[in-house]
Amino acid sequence: MIDLLITAAGIAAVVLMWVMLYDSNRFVVREHTVTDGRIIRPCRAVLLTDLHNKRYGKNNEGLLGAIREAKPDFVLAAGDLLTAKPGESLEPALALLRTLAAEYPIFYANGNHEQRLKLYPETYGDMAERYGSALQEMGVEPLVNGHVRLPEYGIAIYGAEIDKYYYRRFRTGNMSSDYLERLMGQASGEMYTVLLAHHPNYFPQYAAWGADLTLSGHIHGGVARVPFWGRGVISPAWRLFPRYDGGIFREGKAVMVLSRGLGIHTIPVRVFNPGELWVIDFTS
């Protein structure tokens, strides 16, 4: 009996190791369609988040191929395409963005890793300056609590960079009802409003502010997902089974697409939790 248990445990360990290696090095394409009368002309976007310098094949050809196959009108980035680590190369993220910027408009909102580079130059040196200069050279201007209007589509895209306080561990910060309006002004009511907001825990506040569609990441799908139940296990704030782990969420008429991200960080594995590239269709 003991031999059988040891054998079963060994087989389970081998299977788990295989799943970890497999899921940590692949991504799936997921799709979502939004329909709204304010959308003038149909268009398509792809959502990138939490890449953390991950490469899918040489020169990221695996990811680039999937993006090109989707034929988007523009690319939306919801942060953490790089990893804030002293001495870490910026080139994996920049190489991907250079290629994409030559083919598509890119609308980029910072995540906590991009934000961290700016906040702590004593730790990261000139990484923020070098990254910002490289983005500027390729024509990408991060939406730091700003927005762009796309009148040809009837869409306004906002980028939220909330204070580091809201990324505290173990519990969600208290966000006042007027905080987002003070950061970004009032949402555009006459255009369909897309909010790139890296941290999903504040989705109720994003919806109350006026975001029709929130695009988030940060949670990495909970690192591992429980088979059959499908819930993510742990968040970057070290909270077990977070409510917002990945997928589609709703607050009234507002929708959040929460990507499980494309890369790995801190806990450097994925289990039953492959990376995600989201394709978003906007229709009238």
Side-chain angles (χ1 to χ4, degrees), residues 20-29 48-68 81 92-93 96 259-264 269-270 273-277:
M20 288 169 56
L21 290 171
Y22 182 55
D23 280 351
S24 298
N25 292 284
R26 72 183 182 106
F27 66 91
V28 296
V29 177
L48 304 178
T49 184
D50 298 286
L51 187 63
H52 288 294
N53 285 338
K54 176 73 174 177
R55 289 187 176 103
Y56 289 96
K58 185 179 180 181
N59 300 322
N60 238 327
E61 285 300 327
L63 181 56
L64 286 167
I67 293 171
R68 289 167 177 150
L81 299 195
L96 175 69
S259 173
R260 292 183 171 93
L262 285 157
I264 52 179
V269 296
R270 287 177 173 268
N273 179 38
E276 289 184 339
L277 175 70

Side-chain angles (χ1 to χ4, degrees), residues 105-177:
I106 299 176
F107 304 106
Y108 191 144
N110 289 336
N112 56 303
H113 279 251
E114 290 93 347
Q115 184 182 35
R116 200 180 300 167
L117 296 183
K118 299 187 297 179
L119 291 176
Y120 305 109
E122 68 278 7
T123 300
Y124 301 107
D126 65 347
M127 289 178 71
E129 182 180 345
R130 289 189 286 116
Y131 193 68
S133 296
L135 292 180
Q136 190 173 35
E137 287 176 7
M138 65 182 80
V140 176
E141 185 68 35
L143 298 172
V144 181
N145 298 321
H147 71 280
V148 295
R149 292 172 178 258
L150 305 179
E152 66 273 32
Y153 300 119
I155 293 172
I157 301 172
Y158 288 74
E161 184 176 279
I162 59 177
D163 189 83
K164 66 176 182 178
Y165 159 80
Y166 296 104
Y167 286 95
R168 63 198 305 181
R169 290 185 172 176
F170 306 113
R171 63 193 182 97
T172 300
N174 181 30
M175 183 178 285
S176 65
S177 59

Side-chain angles (χ1 to χ4, degrees), residues 47-52 76-84 108-116 143 145 158-164 166-167 175 180 183-184 194-203 206 213-221 236-237 244-246 256-263 265 270:
L47 171 63
L48 304 178
T49 184
D50 298 286
L51 187 63
H52 288 294
L76 300 172
D80 282 11
L81 299 195
L82 50 72
T83 296
Y108 191 144
N110 289 336
N112 56 303
H113 279 251
E114 290 93 347
Q115 184 182 35
R116 200 180 300 167
L143 298 172
N145 298 321
Y158 288 74
E161 184 176 279
I162 59 177
D163 189 83
K164 66 176 182 178
Y166 296 104
Y167 286 95
M175 183 178 285
L180 294 172
L183 279 186
M184 299 182 291
V194 177
L195 177 64
L196 301 173
H198 186 69
H199 200 325
N201 282 16
Y202 304 96
F203 175 45
Y206 303 150
L213 175 66
T214 298
L215 303 176
S216 293
H218 188 56
I219 307 300
H220 297 195
Y244 299 118
D245 55 354
M256 177 170 69
V257 173
L258 173 53
S259 173
R260 292 183 171 93
L262 285 157
H265 175 66
R270 287 177 173 268

